[in-house]
Amino acid sequence: KDMKPFVVNFSDIGIDFKGNHIVRKYNDIKHIFKTTDPTLERENPVIYEVFEGPIQEKEGELMFLITILYPGTVNGEFFMTKGHYHTVENTAEVYLGLRGKGLILCQTKKGEFEAVEIGPNKVVYIPPFWAHRTVNISDEPLIFFAVYPAHAGHDYETVEKEGFKKRIFRGDNGILFVEQ
Ligand code: 6PG
Ligand code: NI
């Protein structure tokens, strides 16, 4: 049936967001990190969660969501999302930072790589054909809003096979980019 205009309230994340709630715990995604941590394996904390708007995944619609990426490291490697290309590759995405500080790692199948900052008042534009992964480089939850064409879909497999060019670690004075 046709949708009517509606509003959701950011301050009610998890209450007012009536769509899918995706929760990724450490043991679900531990293979994306360079090393494993037995303590994290035992405690299996939530690394990030996504609250999607109640939108159908079809052309013409815009999916919107909020991601909360918790702070922490796996032996110094900052918590991050799995990362993906969109299955319909010619689809862009916009992120708006709400809280915390992070990096969006972006890369193409041709081998281009960029890392851009996200945080409050920062809008990140991810063009079509660029894979994207978010890294929390702060000590508080990184929260951002995102919008993309609702039919885009997620290709996680390519990233699982090829990884991202760089990994982000906590350094003695700042962050370290490490070749994968
Ligand atoms: C999307 C967005 C974004 C992303 C989450 C979790 O296309 O849906 O890029 O919402 O899905 O931040 O990241 P992963 O989907 O890579 O686990
Ligand atoms: Ni995306």
Side-chain angles (χ1 to χ4, degrees), residues 40-97:
L40 289 171
E41 279 179 321
R42 200 174 53 247
E43 294 174 356
N44 198 22
V46 173
I47 306 299
Y48 62 100
E49 54 190 321
V50 179
F51 296 92
E52 293 183 344
I55 304 297
Q56 281 182 280
E57 295 181 1
K58 65 179 193 194
E59 204 167 348
E61 301 284 356
L62 290 174
M63 178 57 81
F64 66 92
L65 55 101
I66 279 180
T67 300
I68 305 176
L69 174 55
Y70 293 97
T73 69
V74 181
N75 299 309
E77 184 176 12
F78 288 111
F79 284 1
M80 61 186 176
T81 61
K82 287 169 69 168
H84 57 269
Y85 289 91
H86 290 159
T87 311
V88 179
E89 292 187 70
N90 189 20
T91 51
E93 182 153 356
V94 173
Y95 284 8
L96 167 64

Side-chain angles (χ1 to χ4, degrees), residues 100-117:
K101 187 176 165 183
L103 290 178
I104 314 295
L105 311 185
C106 303
Q107 76 182 26
T108 63
K109 290 180 179 171
K110 290 185 210 153
E112 298 157 285
F113 177 89
E114 299 283 336
V116 294
E117 254 188 46

